[in-house]
mmCIF file of all heavy atoms in Angstrom:
data_model
loop_
_atom_site.group_PDB
_atom_site.id
_atom_site.type_symbol
_atom_site.label_atom_id
_atom_site.label_comp_id
_atom_site.label_asym_id
_atom_site.label_seq_id
_atom_site.Cartn_x
_atom_site.Cartn_y
_atom_site.Cartn_z
ATOM 1 N N ALA A 252 6.774 4.371 13.726
ATOM 2 C CA ALA A 252 7.960 4.085 12.924
ATOM 3 C C ALA A 252 8.888 3.067 13.583
ATOM 4 O O ALA A 252 9.760 2.504 12.904
ATOM 5 C CB ALA A 252 8.720 5.371 12.631
ATOM 6 N N TYR A 253 8.705 2.821 14.873
ATOM 7 C CA TYR A 253 9.505 1.787 15.523
ATOM 8 C C TYR A 253 9.335 0.429 14.824
ATOM 9 O O TYR A 253 10.267 -0.386 14.796
ATOM 10 C CB TYR A 253 9.126 1.652 16.997
ATOM 11 C CG TYR A 253 9.797 0.489 17.686
ATOM 12 C CD1 TYR A 253 11.149 0.547 18.028
ATOM 13 C CD2 TYR A 253 9.093 -0.686 17.966
ATOM 14 C CE1 TYR A 253 11.779 -0.536 18.632
ATOM 15 C CE2 TYR A 253 9.714 -1.765 18.575
ATOM 16 C CZ TYR A 253 11.055 -1.684 18.909
ATOM 17 O OH TYR A 253 11.669 -2.761 19.502
ATOM 18 N N ALA A 254 8.162 0.211 14.234
ATOM 19 C CA ALA A 254 7.914 -1.060 13.548
ATOM 20 C C ALA A 254 8.912 -1.287 12.427
ATOM 21 O O ALA A 254 9.363 -2.418 12.198
ATOM 22 C CB ALA A 254 6.486 -1.096 13.001
ATOM 23 N N SER A 255 9.285 -0.218 11.731
ATOM 24 C CA SER A 255 10.250 -0.345 10.632
ATOM 25 C C SER A 255 11.626 -0.740 11.160
ATOM 26 O O SER A 255 12.301 -1.612 10.608
ATOM 27 C CB SER A 255 10.344 0.968 9.851
ATOM 28 O OG SER A 255 9.112 1.279 9.245
ATOM 29 N N TYR A 256 12.045 -0.077 12.248
ATOM 30 C CA TYR A 256 13.333 -0.431 12.858
ATOM 31 C C TYR A 256 13.315 -1.872 13.350
ATOM 32 O O TYR A 256 14.275 -2.628 13.131
ATOM 33 C CB TYR A 256 13.639 0.519 14.013
ATOM 34 C CG TYR A 256 14.778 0.043 14.874
ATOM 35 C CD1 TYR A 256 16.098 0.180 14.458
ATOM 36 C CD2 TYR A 256 14.530 -0.592 16.098
ATOM 37 C CE1 TYR A 256 17.145 -0.288 15.238
ATOM 38 C CE2 TYR A 256 15.572 -1.052 16.882
ATOM 39 C CZ TYR A 256 16.881 -0.906 16.452
ATOM 40 O OH TYR A 256 17.909 -1.371 17.224
ATOM 41 N N ALA A 257 12.215 -2.251 14.002
ATOM 42 C CA ALA A 257 12.132 -3.606 14.550
ATOM 43 C C ALA A 257 12.248 -4.651 13.448
ATOM 44 O O ALA A 257 12.914 -5.678 13.627
ATOM 45 C CB ALA A 257 10.823 -3.769 15.319
ATOM 46 N N MET A 258 11.623 -4.393 12.313
ATOM 47 C CA MET A 258 11.724 -5.343 11.202
ATOM 48 C C MET A 258 13.158 -5.496 10.732
ATOM 49 O O MET A 258 13.592 -6.595 10.364
ATOM 50 C CB MET A 258 10.822 -4.894 10.049
ATOM 51 C CG MET A 258 9.332 -5.009 10.341
ATOM 52 S SD MET A 258 8.296 -4.358 9.005
ATOM 53 C CE MET A 258 8.590 -5.564 7.715
ATOM 54 N N SER A 259 13.909 -4.403 10.769
ATOM 55 C CA SER A 259 15.298 -4.461 10.315
ATOM 56 C C SER A 259 16.152 -5.367 11.189
ATOM 57 O O SER A 259 17.203 -5.842 10.754
ATOM 58 C CB SER A 259 15.908 -3.060 10.293
ATOM 59 O OG SER A 259 16.220 -2.604 11.603
ATOM 60 N N GLN A 260 15.711 -5.607 12.414
ATOM 61 C CA GLN A 260 16.467 -6.461 13.325
ATOM 62 C C GLN A 260 16.260 -7.944 13.046
ATOM 63 O O GLN A 260 17.009 -8.782 13.543
ATOM 64 C CB GLN A 260 16.069 -6.154 14.775
ATOM 65 C CG GLN A 260 16.302 -4.709 15.187
ATOM 66 C CD GLN A 260 17.753 -4.312 15.047
ATOM 67 O OE1 GLN A 260 18.609 -4.766 15.791
ATOM 68 N NE2 GLN A 260 18.038 -3.460 14.065
ATOM 69 N N LYS A 261 15.236 -8.281 12.247
ATOM 70 C CA LYS A 261 14.928 -9.681 11.992
ATOM 71 C C LYS A 261 15.018 -10.081 10.523
ATOM 72 O O LYS A 261 15.258 -11.242 10.212
ATOM 73 C CB LYS A 261 13.524 -10.008 12.517
ATOM 74 C CG LYS A 261 13.373 -9.828 14.032
ATOM 75 C CD LYS A 261 12.139 -10.508 14.557
ATOM 76 C CE LYS A 261 12.283 -12.017 14.573
ATOM 77 N NZ LYS A 261 11.136 -12.719 15.184
ATOM 78 N N LEU A 262 14.779 -9.124 9.609
ATOM 79 C CA LEU A 262 14.834 -9.454 8.189
ATOM 80 C C LEU A 262 16.278 -9.717 7.763
ATOM 81 O O LEU A 262 17.165 -8.925 8.062
ATOM 82 C CB LEU A 262 14.255 -8.310 7.368
ATOM 83 C CG LEU A 262 12.747 -8.095 7.475
ATOM 84 C CD1 LEU A 262 12.361 -6.748 6.887
ATOM 85 C CD2 LEU A 262 11.989 -9.225 6.777
ATOM 86 N N PRO A 263 16.531 -10.795 7.041
ATOM 87 C CA PRO A 263 17.914 -11.128 6.663
ATOM 88 C C PRO A 263 18.556 -10.136 5.685
ATOM 89 O O PRO A 263 19.755 -9.888 5.770
ATOM 90 C CB PRO A 263 17.769 -12.513 6.014
ATOM 91 C CG PRO A 263 16.493 -13.066 6.545
ATOM 92 C CD PRO A 263 15.595 -11.890 6.722
ATOM 93 N N HIS A 264 17.764 -9.583 4.748
ATOM 94 C CA HIS A 264 18.336 -8.722 3.705
ATOM 95 C C HIS A 264 17.432 -7.505 3.515
ATOM 96 O O HIS A 264 16.663 -7.433 2.550
ATOM 97 C CB HIS A 264 18.486 -9.480 2.388
ATOM 98 C CG HIS A 264 19.297 -10.728 2.505
ATOM 99 N ND1 HIS A 264 20.662 -10.701 2.725
ATOM 100 C CD2 HIS A 264 18.947 -12.029 2.463
ATOM 101 C CE1 HIS A 264 21.117 -11.938 2.799
ATOM 102 N NE2 HIS A 264 20.100 -12.761 2.642
ATOM 103 N N ALA A 265 17.531 -6.556 4.429
ATOM 104 C CA ALA A 265 16.627 -5.408 4.404
ATOM 105 C C ALA A 265 17.376 -4.085 4.405
ATOM 106 O O ALA A 265 18.501 -3.982 4.885
ATOM 107 C CB ALA A 265 15.676 -5.448 5.605
ATOM 108 N N LYS A 266 16.722 -3.075 3.851
ATOM 109 C CA LYS A 266 17.168 -1.696 3.936
ATOM 110 C C LYS A 266 16.001 -0.896 4.489
ATOM 111 O O LYS A 266 14.850 -1.084 4.076
ATOM 112 C CB LYS A 266 17.552 -1.167 2.553
ATOM 113 C CG LYS A 266 17.911 0.323 2.541
ATOM 114 C CD LYS A 266 18.258 0.791 1.129
ATOM 115 C CE LYS A 266 18.565 2.278 1.105
ATOM 116 N NZ LYS A 266 18.943 2.750 -0.263
ATOM 117 N N VAL A 267 16.281 0.013 5.429
ATOM 118 C CA VAL A 267 15.228 0.823 6.048
ATOM 119 C C VAL A 267 15.471 2.291 5.749
ATOM 120 O O VAL A 267 16.596 2.786 5.864
ATOM 121 C CB VAL A 267 15.179 0.590 7.581
ATOM 122 C CG1 VAL A 267 14.163 1.527 8.231
ATOM 123 C CG2 VAL A 267 14.816 -0.860 7.879
ATOM 124 N N ILE A 268 14.400 2.983 5.372
ATOM 125 C CA ILE A 268 14.439 4.420 5.109
ATOM 126 C C ILE A 268 13.402 5.104 5.985
ATOM 127 O O ILE A 268 12.242 4.683 6.023
ATOM 128 C CB ILE A 268 14.137 4.730 3.631
ATOM 129 C CG1 ILE A 268 15.159 4.070 2.708
ATOM 130 C CG2 ILE A 268 14.098 6.235 3.391
ATOM 131 C CD1 ILE A 268 14.801 4.175 1.242
ATOM 132 N N LEU A 269 13.804 6.173 6.681
ATOM 133 C CA LEU A 269 12.876 6.983 7.460
ATOM 134 C C LEU A 269 12.968 8.432 7.000
ATOM 135 O O LEU A 269 14.067 8.975 6.859
ATOM 136 C CB LEU A 269 13.194 6.900 8.957
ATOM 137 C CG LEU A 269 12.864 5.590 9.674
ATOM 138 C CD1 LEU A 269 13.311 5.681 11.132
ATOM 139 C CD2 LEU A 269 11.374 5.282 9.593
ATOM 140 N N TYR A 270 11.820 9.038 6.775
ATOM 141 C CA TYR A 270 11.745 10.450 6.412
ATOM 142 C C TYR A 270 11.423 11.247 7.668
ATOM 143 O O TYR A 270 10.341 11.099 8.255
ATOM 144 C CB TYR A 270 10.686 10.664 5.334
ATOM 145 C CG TYR A 270 11.090 10.102 3.995
ATOM 146 C CD1 TYR A 270 10.858 8.760 3.676
ATOM 147 C CD2 TYR A 270 11.716 10.901 3.043
ATOM 148 C CE1 TYR A 270 11.242 8.238 2.448
ATOM 149 C CE2 TYR A 270 12.103 10.395 1.808
ATOM 150 C CZ TYR A 270 11.864 9.065 1.520
ATOM 151 O OH TYR A 270 12.259 8.546 0.304
ATOM 152 N N SER A 271 12.346 12.102 8.075
ATOM 153 C CA SER A 271 12.236 12.768 9.374
ATOM 154 C C SER A 271 11.133 13.814 9.431
ATOM 155 O O SER A 271 10.698 14.190 10.521
ATOM 156 C CB SER A 271 13.577 13.426 9.736
ATOM 157 O OG SER A 271 13.898 14.456 8.809
ATOM 158 N N ASP A 272 10.663 14.293 8.282
ATOM 159 C CA ASP A 272 9.656 15.352 8.263
ATOM 160 C C ASP A 272 8.285 14.846 7.838
ATOM 161 O O ASP A 272 7.403 15.637 7.503
ATOM 162 C CB ASP A 272 10.083 16.470 7.309
ATOM 163 C CG ASP A 272 10.186 15.987 5.854
ATOM 164 O OD1 ASP A 272 10.284 14.757 5.650
ATOM 165 O OD2 ASP A 272 10.155 16.840 4.949
ATOM 166 N N ALA A 273 8.100 13.520 7.843
ATOM 167 C CA ALA A 273 6.888 12.952 7.261
ATOM 168 C C ALA A 273 6.221 11.953 8.202
ATOM 169 O O ALA A 273 6.762 11.600 9.254
ATOM 170 C CB ALA A 273 7.226 12.285 5.932
ATOM 171 N N GLY A 274 5.049 11.505 7.792
ATOM 172 C CA GLY A 274 4.293 10.524 8.558
ATOM 173 C C GLY A 274 3.847 9.377 7.671
ATOM 174 O O GLY A 274 4.562 8.952 6.761
ATOM 175 N N HIS A 275 2.634 8.891 7.917
ATOM 176 C CA HIS A 275 2.113 7.707 7.232
ATOM 177 C C HIS A 275 2.054 7.897 5.728
ATOM 178 O O HIS A 275 2.212 6.946 4.970
ATOM 179 C CB HIS A 275 0.716 7.394 7.784
ATOM 180 C CG HIS A 275 0.263 6.002 7.542
ATOM 181 N ND1 HIS A 275 0.880 4.902 8.104
ATOM 182 C CD2 HIS A 275 -0.771 5.505 6.802
ATOM 183 C CE1 HIS A 275 0.260 3.797 7.724
ATOM 184 N NE2 HIS A 275 -0.742 4.137 6.925
ATOM 185 N N GLY A 276 1.814 9.130 5.276
ATOM 186 C CA GLY A 276 1.728 9.403 3.845
ATOM 187 C C GLY A 276 3.028 9.877 3.233
ATOM 188 O O GLY A 276 3.013 10.598 2.233
ATOM 189 N N PHE A 277 4.153 9.468 3.792
ATOM 190 C CA PHE A 277 5.468 9.929 3.312
ATOM 191 C C PHE A 277 5.653 9.680 1.826
ATOM 192 O O PHE A 277 6.308 10.451 1.126
ATOM 193 C CB PHE A 277 6.590 9.246 4.100
ATOM 194 C CG PHE A 277 6.780 7.799 3.735
ATOM 195 C CD1 PHE A 277 7.710 7.421 2.784
ATOM 196 C CD2 PHE A 277 6.005 6.812 4.332
ATOM 197 C CE1 PHE A 277 7.868 6.091 2.424
ATOM 198 C CE2 PHE A 277 6.155 5.484 3.983
ATOM 199 C CZ PHE A 277 7.081 5.119 3.031
ATOM 200 N N LEU A 278 5.112 8.601 1.308
ATOM 201 C CA LEU A 278 5.290 8.256 -0.104
ATOM 202 C C LEU A 278 4.568 9.235 -1.024
ATOM 203 O O LEU A 278 4.934 9.372 -2.204
ATOM 204 C CB LEU A 278 4.850 6.820 -0.382
ATOM 205 C CG LEU A 278 3.399 6.411 -0.164
ATOM 206 C CD1 LEU A 278 3.194 4.965 -0.654
ATOM 207 C CD2 LEU A 278 2.960 6.519 1.252
ATOM 208 N N PHE A 279 3.555 9.935 -0.496
ATOM 209 C CA PHE A 279 2.878 10.971 -1.278
ATOM 210 C C PHE A 279 3.449 12.355 -0.972
ATOM 211 O O PHE A 279 3.283 13.282 -1.758
ATOM 212 C CB PHE A 279 1.386 10.967 -0.994
ATOM 213 C CG PHE A 279 0.681 9.689 -1.395
ATOM 214 C CD1 PHE A 279 -0.639 9.488 -1.040
ATOM 215 C CD2 PHE A 279 1.322 8.699 -2.134
ATOM 216 C CE1 PHE A 279 -1.298 8.326 -1.403
ATOM 217 C CE2 PHE A 279 0.670 7.536 -2.493
ATOM 218 C CZ PHE A 279 -0.654 7.343 -2.130
ATOM 219 N N GLN A 280 4.114 12.497 0.167
ATOM 220 C CA GLN A 280 4.776 13.750 0.515
ATOM 221 C C GLN A 280 6.105 13.888 -0.225
ATOM 222 O O GLN A 280 6.509 14.987 -0.617
ATOM 223 C CB GLN A 280 5.016 13.832 2.021
ATOM 224 C CG GLN A 280 5.617 15.153 2.488
ATOM 225 C CD GLN A 280 5.715 15.236 4.007
ATOM 226 O OE1 GLN A 280 5.012 14.521 4.733
ATOM 227 N NE2 GLN A 280 6.577 16.099 4.506
ATOM 228 N N HIS A 281 6.786 12.748 -0.422
ATOM 229 C CA HIS A 281 8.069 12.717 -1.139
ATOM 230 C C HIS A 281 7.987 11.705 -2.284
ATOM 231 O O HIS A 281 8.744 10.725 -2.311
ATOM 232 C CB HIS A 281 9.193 12.330 -0.176
ATOM 233 C CG HIS A 281 9.394 13.297 0.945
ATOM 234 N ND1 HIS A 281 9.964 14.536 0.770
ATOM 235 C CD2 HIS A 281 9.088 13.201 2.275
ATOM 236 C CE1 HIS A 281 10.018 15.169 1.932
ATOM 237 N NE2 HIS A 281 9.488 14.389 2.854
ATOM 238 N N PRO A 282 7.068 11.912 -3.230
ATOM 239 C CA PRO A 282 6.849 10.894 -4.261
ATOM 240 C C PRO A 282 8.050 10.624 -5.150
ATOM 241 O O PRO A 282 8.355 9.460 -5.453
ATOM 242 C CB PRO A 282 5.669 11.455 -5.064
ATOM 243 C CG PRO A 282 5.705 12.937 -4.829
ATOM 244 C CD PRO A 282 6.195 13.085 -3.418
ATOM 245 N N ASP A 283 8.738 11.669 -5.571
ATOM 246 C CA ASP A 283 9.880 11.470 -6.459
ATOM 247 C C ASP A 283 11.042 10.791 -5.743
ATOM 248 O O ASP A 283 11.680 9.874 -6.277
ATOM 249 C CB ASP A 283 10.344 12.809 -7.041
ATOM 250 C CG ASP A 283 9.364 13.368 -8.059
ATOM 251 O OD1 ASP A 283 8.801 12.568 -8.827
ATOM 252 O OD2 ASP A 283 9.153 14.592 -8.069
ATOM 253 N N ASP A 284 11.330 11.233 -4.527
ATOM 254 C CA ASP A 284 12.462 10.678 -3.797
ATOM 255 C C ASP A 284 12.225 9.213 -3.455
ATOM 256 O O ASP A 284 13.113 8.369 -3.649
ATOM 257 C CB ASP A 284 12.707 11.490 -2.521
ATOM 258 C CG ASP A 284 13.979 11.061 -1.811
ATOM 259 O OD1 ASP A 284 15.043 11.610 -2.122
ATOM 260 O OD2 ASP A 284 13.906 10.149 -0.944
ATOM 261 N N PHE A 285 11.032 8.891 -2.950
ATOM 262 C CA PHE A 285 10.791 7.501 -2.566
ATOM 263 C C PHE A 285 10.712 6.611 -3.800
ATOM 264 O O PHE A 285 11.199 5.472 -3.776
ATOM 265 C CB PHE A 285 9.525 7.380 -1.725
ATOM 266 C CG PHE A 285 9.302 5.996 -1.179
ATOM 267 C CD1 PHE A 285 10.327 5.308 -0.538
ATOM 268 C CD2 PHE A 285 8.076 5.364 -1.314
ATOM 269 C CE1 PHE A 285 10.134 4.024 -0.040
ATOM 270 C CE2 PHE A 285 7.869 4.090 -0.820
ATOM 271 C CZ PHE A 285 8.903 3.411 -0.183
ATOM 272 N N ALA A 286 10.110 7.109 -4.877
ATOM 273 C CA ALA A 286 10.082 6.319 -6.106
ATOM 274 C C ALA A 286 11.501 6.045 -6.603
ATOM 275 O O ALA A 286 11.799 4.952 -7.101
ATOM 276 C CB ALA A 286 9.272 7.040 -7.174
ATOM 277 N N HIS A 287 12.387 7.052 -6.462
ATOM 278 C CA HIS A 287 13.793 6.850 -6.849
ATOM 279 C C HIS A 287 14.422 5.734 -6.011
ATOM 280 O O HIS A 287 15.151 4.879 -6.545
ATOM 281 C CB HIS A 287 14.568 8.148 -6.665
ATOM 282 C CG HIS A 287 16.053 7.991 -6.793
ATOM 283 N ND1 HIS A 287 16.686 7.820 -8.011
ATOM 284 C CD2 HIS A 287 17.036 7.954 -5.846
ATOM 285 C CE1 HIS A 287 17.986 7.684 -7.807
ATOM 286 N NE2 HIS A 287 18.220 7.763 -6.512
ATOM 287 N N GLU A 288 14.150 5.736 -4.722
ATOM 288 C CA GLU A 288 14.696 4.693 -3.852
ATOM 289 C C GLU A 288 14.162 3.314 -4.262
ATOM 290 O O GLU A 288 14.906 2.324 -4.276
ATOM 291 C CB GLU A 288 14.329 4.984 -2.396
ATOM 292 C CG GLU A 288 14.971 6.232 -1.813
ATOM 293 C CD GLU A 288 16.455 6.062 -1.537
ATOM 294 O OE1 GLU A 288 16.973 4.928 -1.667
ATOM 295 O OE2 GLU A 288 17.101 7.068 -1.179
ATOM 296 N N ILE A 289 12.880 3.259 -4.581
ATOM 297 C CA ILE A 289 12.285 1.986 -5.006
ATOM 298 C C ILE A 289 12.906 1.518 -6.320
ATOM 299 O O ILE A 289 13.264 0.335 -6.469
ATOM 300 C CB ILE A 289 10.760 2.124 -5.161
ATOM 301 C CG1 ILE A 289 10.103 2.361 -3.793
ATOM 302 C CG2 ILE A 289 10.164 0.872 -5.805
ATOM 303 C CD1 ILE A 289 8.629 2.711 -3.878
ATOM 304 N N ASN A 290 13.031 2.422 -7.264
ATOM 305 C CA ASN A 290 13.596 2.045 -8.563
ATOM 306 C C ASN A 290 15.024 1.513 -8.421
ATOM 307 O O ASN A 290 15.393 0.520 -9.070
ATOM 308 C CB ASN A 290 13.591 3.260 -9.501
ATOM 309 C CG ASN A 290 12.185 3.591 -9.998
ATOM 310 O OD1 ASN A 290 11.334 2.708 -10.091
ATOM 311 N ND2 ASN A 290 11.953 4.847 -10.317
ATOM 312 N N ARG A 291 15.809 2.169 -7.605
ATOM 313 C CA ARG A 291 17.186 1.705 -7.387
ATOM 314 C C ARG A 291 17.195 0.338 -6.708
ATOM 315 O O ARG A 291 17.973 -0.552 -7.075
ATOM 316 C CB ARG A 291 17.956 2.737 -6.554
ATOM 317 C CG ARG A 291 19.430 2.394 -6.379
ATOM 318 C CD ARG A 291 20.196 3.539 -5.803
ATOM 319 N NE ARG A 291 19.746 3.912 -4.465
ATOM 320 C CZ ARG A 291 20.339 4.814 -3.715
ATOM 321 N NH1 ARG A 291 21.404 5.465 -4.163
ATOM 322 N NH2 ARG A 291 19.881 5.111 -2.512
ATOM 323 N N PHE A 292 16.298 0.157 -5.732
ATOM 324 C CA PHE A 292 16.211 -1.093 -5.004
ATOM 325 C C PHE A 292 15.782 -2.244 -5.931
ATOM 326 O O PHE A 292 16.371 -3.330 -5.911
ATOM 327 C CB PHE A 292 15.210 -0.932 -3.853
ATOM 328 C CG PHE A 292 14.820 -2.202 -3.171
ATOM 329 C CD1 PHE A 292 15.695 -2.857 -2.333
ATOM 330 C CD2 PHE A 292 13.546 -2.738 -3.359
ATOM 331 C CE1 PHE A 292 15.327 -4.033 -1.692
ATOM 332 C CE2 PHE A 292 13.162 -3.901 -2.724
ATOM 333 C CZ PHE A 292 14.048 -4.550 -1.886
#
Side-chain angles (χ1 to χ4, degrees):
Y253 173 74
S255 297
Y256 167 77
M258 291 176 69
S259 75
Q260 301 301 290
K261 298 196 73 175
L262 290 166
H264 304 290
K266 175 181 178 178
V267 175
I268 300 172
L269 288 177
Y270 290 86
S271 64
D272 63 341
H275 200 65
F277 73 94
L278 63 174
F279 297 172
Q280 184 175 339
H281 298 287
D283 289 322
D284 187 89
F285 186 49
H287 170 75
E288 294 287 353
I289 293 172
N290 286 332
R291 185 169 63 174
F292 169 73

